[in-house]
Amino acid sequence: MPIVAILFLTAVNLLNYFDRYIVPAVEPTITAEFALSNTQAGYLVSAFVLGYFIFSPMFGFIGDRYDRRWIMAVGLIGWSAATAMTAIATTVAGFGFSRVLVGVGEAGYGALVPPYLKRRVANTADLNRALSIFYVAVPVGAALGYVAGGQVAATFGWRDLFLLAAVPGVVLAFGFLALRPESQKTHTVSKSEGAPAGFLAGIRLIMRSRVLLLVISGYVLNTFALNGVAAFVVRHGTSLGLSAAAASTSFGVILVITGLLGTLGGGFLGSRLAEATSDPVSSLMRFVAWSTLIGVPFLVVCFLARTSGLFLGGCFLAELLIFAGVAPLNSVIAARAPDGYGALTQGVTIFAIQLFGGFLGPVAIGALTDLTGSLALAMQGTSVALLCSGYLWWRASRLIER
């Protein structure tokens, strides 16, 4: 495996998720400053998703045809500049617009990495190991967002936090020049390679795959659940007697531990199981389905808990099992993508999961909280979504087997 490239891409991905999760970490402070309702707070947390999901298919299509290194570098600089813009926002509209631009920059990165690695790592089990390392950055970056966000904002204010978060991206962008360039064939789709060359033709090709439809639909529900939890978990912790700083720090520590153990352990275990079967893709899909379904009861307990200890314990076990399926899930998507449309398939996946999951998750949970008057009850909607995602992935594994 190209370990240096994997570690560099992982570092950039860590910054990616750090920038995403500093907003929910300081959500109570921003909500108080701008006098927002729960529904409005949900919109603000989800604002970056607008730019992310709209531009991901476009960057995916471009990434299948041109040098992905340059596209990823420009995306990194773009979202770092937008993060700095957030720090000087004086209105809710300005804050939201800056976060939308953060999403545009991130769209130029997230859809391109799995197909880039697929070209460097041909074996499915080895690709899954590479993605296991890459996706460790998701929980660790999110955890740093919660921990650093809560602590820095409490000490210096949330504006200084966003300014500091913008600096590393500009430095890391130059690292893309050191990555090995891909051949021209990687980026040019021809009819002789078995795939039509148009954008809409590629979309139709992806939508004709029943396996991809089931996998992406499950991913939508999974993202709905995780983003709904992430947006209001600090608020729920404060309702159980924790301070906002203590809740964000505790949740951040849980994210780090479960992310490292779950993503790496689940990814490498999934690869071992896949290597022992004649169909590694279906094996990885089964692994994702069952790890998700086993995690559902712990998420239910998490928001039924009346004590902070039981709440944090439920979070720990649920997240450990959910993160175990992250790398295998994305390995399946990369493996089942139509020839020549790896990045576009990732872009379409991001479009779907962020529009219907990432954006609607916090908004729906916030609106349900306003409707019922109970955040704990509203959070159980995330448990239902997670259960449905596991079922769809189980269906996908059976379809792959047949």
Side-chain angles (χ1 to χ4, degrees), residues 13 17 114 127-139 215 219 222-223 226 258-259 262-268 270 284-285 287-289 291-292 318-334 346 393:
N13 204 33
Y17 279 84
L127 173 62
N128 187 58
R129 291 187 180 95
L131 290 177
S132 298
I133 298 171
F134 175 72
Y135 283 111
V136 162
V138 175
V215 172
Y219 212 164
N222 183 271
T223 306
L226 293 181
T258 59
T263 306
L264 282 177
F268 279 76
L284 290 174
M285 194 72 260
F287 182 84
V288 175
S291 62
T292 300
E319 289 174 19
L320 183 67
L321 289 159
I322 293 169
F323 283 127
V326 170
L329 174 63
N330 284 276
S331 296
V332 170
I333 294 172
Q346 291 290 333
W393 287 334

Side-chain angles (χ1 to χ4, degrees), residues 325-365:
V326 170
L329 174 63
N330 284 276
S331 296
V332 170
I333 294 172
R336 300 291 298 199
D339 291 340
Y341 287 111
L344 180 59
T345 302
Q346 291 290 333
V348 170
T349 301
I350 291 171
F351 178 90
I353 67 175
Q354 295 300 336
L355 172 58
F356 301 110
F359 179 73
L360 291 182
V363 174
I365 298 303

Side-chain angles (χ1 to χ4, degrees), residues 45-360:
V45 170
S46 298
F48 90 95
V49 176
L50 288 176
Y52 193 45
F53 86 82
I54 290 173
F55 284 87
S56 286
M58 181 190 73
F59 280 117
F61 183 75
I62 295 172
D64 282 326
R65 283 148 180 78
Y66 301 101
D67 194 332
R68 292 176 181 131
R69 300 175 305 155
W70 291 103
I71 301 171
M72 291 188 286
V74 171
L76 175 54
I77 293 174
W79 95 58
S80 298
T83 299
M85 287 177 55
T86 309
I88 60 176
T90 57
T91 64
V92 176
F95 188 102
F97 179 69
S98 297
R99 297 304 295 175
V100 170
L101 293 180
V102 169
V104 175
E106 290 184 4
Y109 181 73
L112 275 59
V113 176
Y116 174 84
L117 288 176
K118 184 181 178 182
R119 291 288 183 173
R120 302 285 301 271
V121 185
N123 181 271
T124 299
D126 288 339
L127 173 62
N128 187 58
R129 291 187 180 95
L131 290 177
S132 298
I133 298 171
F134 175 72
Y135 283 111
V136 162
V138 175
V140 175
L144 287 175
Y146 277 107
V147 175
Q151 297 300 325
V152 173
T155 305
F156 302 103
W158 65 267
R159 296 182 185 277
D160 288 341
L161 168 65
F162 284 92
L163 284 175
L164 291 172
V167 176
V170 178
V171 177
L172 285 173
F174 292 98
F176 284 101
L177 300 177
L179 291 182
R180 194 179 83 183
E182 296 178 86
S183 65
Q184 184 64 27
K185 184 179 178 181
T186 301
H187 309 290
T188 303
V189 181
S190 66
K191 291 183 179 180
S192 63
E193 291 177 290
F199 177 82
L200 294 180
I203 298 293
R204 287 195 296 269
L205 205 60
I206 294 166
M207 292 296 99
R208 288 193 192 118
S209 170
R210 291 179 60 196
V211 169
L212 283 177
L213 287 178
L214 285 171
V215 172
I216 294 172
S217 297
Y219 212 164
V220 166
L221 291 167
N222 183 271
T223 306
F224 179 98
L226 293 181
N227 280 267
V229 170
F232 295 105
V233 69
V234 173
R235 177 88 63 84
H236 185 72
T238 60
S239 72
L240 297 176
L242 297 171
S243 67
S248 62
T249 300
S250 298
F251 191 67
V253 170
I254 289 173
L255 279 176
V256 169
I257 297 174
T258 59
L260 287 171
L261 295 179
T263 306
L264 282 177
F268 279 76
L269 176 60
S271 289
R272 289 289 298 274
L273 295 173
E275 288 173 330
T277 66
S278 59
D279 188 349
V281 178
S282 65
S283 175
L284 290 174
M285 194 72 260
R286 277 197 309 275
F287 182 84
V288 175
W290 283 110
S291 62
T292 300
L293 291 171
I294 294 171
V296 172
F298 297 108
L299 190 62
V300 172
V301 169
C302 180
F303 297 109
L304 288 177
R306 300 297 182 184
T307 64
S308 59
L310 188 57
F311 159 67
L312 294 174
C315 283
F316 182 92
L317 293 173
E319 289 174 19
L320 183 67
L321 289 159
I322 293 169
F323 283 127
V326 170
L329 174 63
N330 284 276
S331 296
V332 170
I333 294 172
R336 300 291 298 199
D339 291 340
Y341 287 111
L344 180 59
T345 302
Q346 291 290 333
V348 170
T349 301
I350 291 171
F351 178 90
I353 67 175
Q354 295 300 336
L355 172 58
F356 301 110
F359 179 73
L360 291 182

